[in-house]
Amino acid sequence: MASIGDFDPLNASIPATKVEITVSCRNLLDMDTFSKSDPICVLYTQGISNKEWREFGRTEVIENTLNPEFVRKFILDYFFEERQNLRFDLRMKKPLVGLPGKKCGNIIVKAEEMGNCRESVMMQFCGNKLDKKDFFGKSDPFLVFYRSNEDGTFTTCHKTEVVKNTLNPVWQAFKIPVRALCNGDYDRTIKIECYDWDRDGSHDFIGEFTTSYRELSRGQSQFNVYEVVNPKKKGKKKKYLNSGTVTLLSFLVDIEVTFLDYIKGGPYQMNAYAMAMKAVGEIIQDYDSDKMFPALGFGAKLPPDGRVSHEFALNGNPQNPYCAGIDGVMEAYYQSLKSVCLYGPTNFSPVINHVARYAASVKDGSQYFILLIITDGVISDMAQTKESIVNASCLPMSIIIVGVGPAEFDAMIELDGDEVRISSKGRYAERDIVQFVPFRDYTDRTGNHILSMARLAKDVLAEIPDQFLSYMRIRGIKPSPAPPPYTPPGHPLQTQI
């Protein structure tokens, strides 16, 4: 049986998910003499090993404002298994410390998991008969787009350019990722505000309207002509209708193509996961009579609803996860890469328990189960995994773990139990059933993968015979008599019989 966890076509750790961090500020200290401050936000992340702070990125500069709403986002890889230190605490409002005795304002940080949406949209808008806000001329209008968040608040996701001295502006077309606009939720509210630009940063509010991606996707039509409403004016004036209109002129969707798409399209060289599967599997399969192997994956979101699973069939058929030979396992693995979205946490115990259920039903020695786990070494359910291994140590099964990537494999070495027998809740494993090897130790610098994979298979399988024999001895199971050699009809031996 083969179980492939956290598989990676590029032989590098893939993040479980990404989060988008939005930053805004309130009541910043005014550092300019003749105007307001021109703030910028810089984000620093801390290294895991050396604890050094490094600049991750910075927002745009917003001139003449003490209450900036930064458009530029910080996109971070979020790892469930790691503590990731930033210069601020997520979703907390905290004072800025700068000058003693002075209130320097607040920074507001919001984070939301990014949806797995790769669409971008090109849109263009125009305004008509917008309110005149300037005394000596017409308005200088621009639009601000806000995405609604899961907690009901709004964050800025786009600002158009300013069109000077007109009440009928035509803004330039702009391209924006759909996940930035609505995080892939087509019915999520999108709020759009219209302002008259002022040099000192005190932009005059003209009005606002709301829509959604689904509505915008109808394109240029009567459905996408929006009344720009100023709530204060509407509350004061009974005959107030609107402060002008904004019309969607064009809407064009594009799918973002990534480097991974080209890799998935193949053909491409086998990665570490595939090489380990093939090297070990080709040896193991010779000891299986029907050569049908159930192949499982863990740590991924599955289509179509995106549910997280730690025990799913690589071939997409949970009722029959069996693959024909190692070539069938490889094919299912590659197909699975195209359909699932890798996701944390990484739990080992579900697949160990899966195999243990089969092994528990056949204790007479007629079958012996080998679970091959290929992983990047990160494990989120260490306590449960230890318990699963202790429980499985009395069953006819062995577990092979191949660690790929640059991670430290301390947890895997502990599971191996060669030096200290693994235990859980005061119970020790009846016997050693786990063998761990790091794949990087078998990378041949000369490029001779055939030789290096042969060495990997040899070391991986080295403990299997002893583990098999230990089970049989403990259970007192004797080998069945060898069947008599086959002799064809008419053979002299057959005639004598």
Side-chain angles (χ1 to χ4, degrees):
M1 172 173 285
S3 177
I4 318 323
D6 291 346
F7 34 82
D8 175 3
L10 296 182
N11 191 20
S13 297
I14 287 185
T17 189
K18 290 181 181 290
V19 293
E20 177 188 83
I21 295 180
T22 302
V23 180
S24 59
C25 302
R26 294 293 179 269
N27 304 315
L28 296 180
L29 185 64
D30 194 352
M31 303 298 292
D32 292 349
T33 304
F34 299 105
S35 63
K36 297 175 183 176
S37 298
D38 306 324
I40 184 174
C41 179
V42 182
L43 173 63
Y44 294 87
T45 58
Q46 190 177 42
I48 296 176
S49 56
N50 55 21
K51 301 299 181 182
E52 292 182 358
W53 290 99
R54 295 182 179 179
E55 181 177 329
F56 179 83
R58 54 184 62 201
T59 66
E60 75 279 12
V61 175
I62 301 182
E63 297 180 350
N64 293 318
T65 181
L66 305 181
N67 301 287
E69 297 275 355
F70 296 105
V71 175
R72 188 171 300 163
K73 317 293 183 184
F74 299 113
I75 309 298
L76 289 172
D77 292 335
Y78 172 71
F79 297 94
F80 177 88
E81 305 87 353
E82 298 177 7
R83 179 184 178 90
Q84 295 171 264
N85 294 323
L86 309 179
R87 280 285 177 88
F88 42 74
D89 295 329
L90 297 180
R91 289 196 176 274
M92 289 187 64
K93 184 177 181 181
K94 63 185 231 180
L96 298 178
V97 180
L99 299 178
K102 290 189 178 182
K103 294 182 178 180
C104 299
N106 299 289
I107 181 170
I108 302 166
V109 181
K110 290 185 177 292
E112 182 176 355
E113 179 181 341
M114 297 182 67
N116 189 29
C117 177
R118 296 191 296 156
E119 295 177 350
S120 290
V121 60
M122 179 80 74
M123 295 186 290
Q124 185 175 24
F125 292 85
C126 71
N128 185 44
K129 297 182 180 178
L130 299 177
D131 281 358
K132 179 178 180 296
K133 291 291 187 178
D134 293 343
F135 187 78
F136 294 108
K138 299 176 182 179
S139 296
D140 305 320
F142 67 96
L143 299 177
V144 182
F145 291 73
Y146 297 88
R147 181 188 71 211
S148 59
N149 302 313
E150 294 174 342
D151 60 1
T153 60
F154 287 88
T155 52
T156 308
C157 59
H158 181 73
K159 290 181 182 178
T160 68
E161 79 283 5
V162 176
V163 181
K164 295 289 189 69
N165 199 32
T166 179
L167 303 181
N168 301 291
V170 178
W171 291 283
Q172 295 177 12
F174 65 92
K175 187 176 183 179
I176 182 171
V178 173
R179 64 187 180 193
L181 195 62
C182 62
N183 205 17
D185 182 353
Y186 291 176
D187 296 308
R188 184 182 291 200
T189 299
I190 300 170
K191 183 172 69 172
I192 302 174
E193 294 179 342
C194 185
Y195 288 90
D196 168 43
W197 178 83
D198 285 332
R199 187 178 300 275
D200 63 0
S202 58
H203 312 307
D204 298 315
F205 179 68
I206 295 176
E208 65 183 17
F209 61 93
T210 61
T211 183
S212 67
Y213 180 86
R214 195 176 301 279
E215 289 294 319
L216 292 171
S217 65
R218 297 185 180 187
Q220 186 179 19
S221 67
Q222 71 272 19
F223 299 105
N224 280 318
V225 179
Y226 299 94
E227 292 187 351
V228 180
V229 176
N230 187 323
K232 290 184 178 180
K233 294 182 68 173
K234 185 176 182 179
K236 293 179 180 179
K237 299 180 180 180
K238 293 183 179 180
K239 294 185 178 180
Y240 174 81
L241 295 178
N242 56 57
S243 296
T245 61
V246 168
T247 301
L248 176 67
L249 295 178
S250 63
F251 184 94
L252 182 63
V253 179
D254 186 29
I255 303 295
E256 294 179 358
V257 178
T258 67
F259 174 69
L260 193 58
D261 290 321
Y262 291 97
I263 297 298
K264 287 180 179 178
Y268 53 93
Q269 190 176 18
M270 285 195 297
N271 58 66
Y273 290 87
M275 292 173 68
M277 268 190 290
K278 192 171 181 64
V280 178
E282 286 185 343
I283 302 296
I284 291 178
Q285 71 177 355
D286 290 335
Y287 295 91
D288 190 289
S289 58
D290 63 3
K291 293 181 173 49
M292 296 296 295
F293 302 101
L296 306 176
F298 57 91
K301 284 184 175 181
L302 308 186
D305 55 358
R307 67 180 178 89
V308 179
S309 175
H310 300 288
E311 185 184 349
F312 63 92
L314 287 187
N315 65 2
N317 187 352
Q319 283 72 41
N320 184 17
Y322 287 82
C323 303
I326 293 304
D327 288 339
V329 173
M330 303 284 288
E331 181 181 357
Y333 163 67
Y334 288 128
Q335 290 301 319
S336 183
L337 284 177
K338 298 178 181 180
S339 60
V340 304
C341 176
L342 303 180
Y343 201 82
T346 301
N347 296 335
F348 278 21
S349 58
V351 290
I352 295 176
N353 293 337
H354 181 103
V355 180
R357 287 193 294 271
Y358 285 92
S361 64
V362 189
K363 296 182 178 180
D364 60 0
S366 60
Q367 295 186 48
Y368 194 86
F369 297 79
I370 298 176
L371 169 62
L372 169 62
I373 300 178
I374 304 177
T375 179
D376 62 5
V378 177
I379 181 171
S380 306
D381 65 339
M382 188 64 174
Q384 294 89 336
T385 297
K386 285 183 177 181
E387 184 177 6
S388 297
I389 293 174
V390 170
N391 292 337
S393 65
C394 62
L395 300 175
M397 65 178 286
S398 293
I399 302 172
I400 298 171
I401 303 176
V402 178
V404 300
E408 294 297 326
F409 293 118
D410 293 346
M412 301 300 104
I413 295 172
E414 183 179 354
L415 294 180
D416 192 308
D418 281 344
E419 297 181 2
V420 179
R421 181 66 60 86
I422 189 171
S423 64
S424 173
K425 299 179 181 178
R427 295 171 53 227
Y428 282 85
E430 181 178 292
R431 59 195 182 90
D432 177 20
I433 64 170
V434 178
Q435 167 74 341
F436 165 75
V437 294
F439 182 85
R440 59 176 174 240
D441 290 353
Y442 298 87
T443 302
D444 193 289
R445 296 181 180 179
T446 65
N448 188 344
H449 295 308
I450 296 177
L451 177 60
S452 57
M453 291 307 96
R455 290 176 49 241
L456 171 67
K458 178 182 177 181
D459 289 356
V460 161
L461 299 172
E463 292 186 10
I464 296 298
D466 286 341
Q467 292 176 3
F468 171 83
L469 289 173
S470 70
Y471 175 80
M472 298 300 179
R473 288 168 182 157
I474 291 173
R475 294 294 177 273
I477 299 173
K478 303 297 182 182
S480 300
Y486 172 73
T487 55
H491 190 277
L493 290 177
Q494 182 73 26
T495 305
Q496 290 176 6
I497 293 174

